[in-house]
């Protein structure tokens, strides 16, 4: 009788080398961490200072003091009950056309107004463009601006009557596509 013996083999023992955490290892990891944080902070500080500084007005205190006057002017404007509608278009050549129609409380066209439009880029040091709108037909005023780039703009309309000093102000954000 033959007996078959199954050969049993043990898996080879793995030898692992333990890495000891020494003071130098901790120091290198800690130093590397703070070095990465320092580089990231230098990167962000550089780009924050080299981009838009965030200053909207150089005289913030004076602008804050004049705010009550702006509130009073807004209330006076509301009492006028003027209806002022504007249309702004831009063609592919970069020429923007601004058209404004103004009606009084009775729905009659307002004539003889002094109308100015200001186009300004939000959050940009680019200077504002001021336009004087000329009166065409009764109660309709228009002007053109050249080299108006595509993108976001703030349009401020100021209309005032020369006789009674009545004023109207509107500020709108507009977008010109390519």
């Amino acid at each position: 009788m033959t007996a078959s013996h199954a050969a049993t083999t043990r898996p080879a023992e793995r030898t692992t080398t333990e890495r000891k955490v020494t003071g130098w290892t901790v120091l290198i990891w800690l130093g590397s961490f703070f070095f990465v944080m320092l580089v990231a902070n230098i990167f962000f500080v550089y780009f924050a200072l080299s981009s838009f500084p965030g200053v909207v007005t150089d005289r913030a205190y004076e602008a804050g003091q004049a705010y009550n006057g702006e509130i009073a002017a807004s209330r006076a404007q509301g009492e006028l009950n003027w209806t002022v509608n504007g249309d702004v278009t831009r063609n592919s050549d970069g020429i923007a056309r601004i058209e404004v129609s103004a009606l009084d409380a009775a729905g009659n066209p307002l004539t003889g107004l002094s109308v100015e439009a200001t186009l300004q880029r939000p959050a940009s040091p680019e200077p504002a463009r001021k336009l004087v709108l000329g009166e065409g037909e009764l109660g309709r005023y228009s002007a053109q601006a050249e080299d108006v780039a595509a993108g976001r703009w703030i349009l401020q309309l100021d209309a005032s009557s020369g006789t009674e000093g009545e004023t109207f102000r509107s500020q709108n954000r507009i977008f010109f596509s390519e």
Side-chain angles (χ1 to χ4, degrees), residues 87-138:
D87 184 38
V88 183
T89 56
R90 177 185 169 273
N91 64 17
S92 60
D93 295 334
I95 298 173
R97 180 159 180 79
I98 302 169
E99 296 180 351
V100 175
S101 64
L103 304 173
D104 64 8
N108 299 320
L110 289 167
T111 60
L113 294 179
S114 171
V115 181
E116 292 182 359
T118 305
L119 277 172
Q120 183 174 2
R121 289 276 207 181
S124 172
E126 182 179 332
R129 298 179 185 202
K130 295 191 182 283
L131 304 168
V132 176
L133 280 70
E135 186 172 6
E137 46 186 274
L138 290 177

Side-chain angles (χ1 to χ4, degrees), residues 1 5-6 13 31 38 53 64 72-73 78-79 87 95 103 117 134 138 143 147 149 153 160 164 166 174-175:
M1 231 172 139
H5 294 289
E13 290 185 22
L38 178 69
E79 292 171 1
D87 184 38
I95 298 173
L103 304 173
L138 290 177
D147 298 326
W153 289 84
S160 60
E164 299 175 27
E166 300 165 324
I174 57 177
F175 180 80

Side-chain angles (χ1 to χ4, degrees), residues 57 59-60 62-78 156 167 169 171:
T57 179
R59 302 175 155 248
E62 288 82 1
Q65 294 296 317
Y67 188 65
N68 287 337
E70 290 182 25
I71 292 173
S74 177
R75 287 186 181 138
Q77 176 178 318
Q156 179 175 314
T167 59
R169 174 173 281 176
Q171 192 171 32

Side-chain angles (χ1 to χ4, degrees), residues 48-63:
L49 293 177
S50 65
S51 64
F52 179 66
V55 176
V56 176
T57 179
D58 292 329
R59 302 175 155 248
Y61 179 75
E62 288 82 1

Side-chain angles (χ1 to χ4, degrees), residues 3 17 21 26-27 36 42 45 54 58 61 79-80 86 98 105 115 118 126 138 141 148 151 153 157-158 173 175-176:
T17 57
V21 177
V26 172
L27 181 64
V36 169
I42 289 172
V45 167
D58 292 329
Y61 179 75
E79 292 171 1
L80 291 174
I98 302 169
V115 181
T118 305
E126 182 179 332
L138 290 177
Y141 303 86
V148 177
W153 289 84
L157 293 173
D158 293 309
R173 289 184 176 261
F175 180 80
F176 293 126

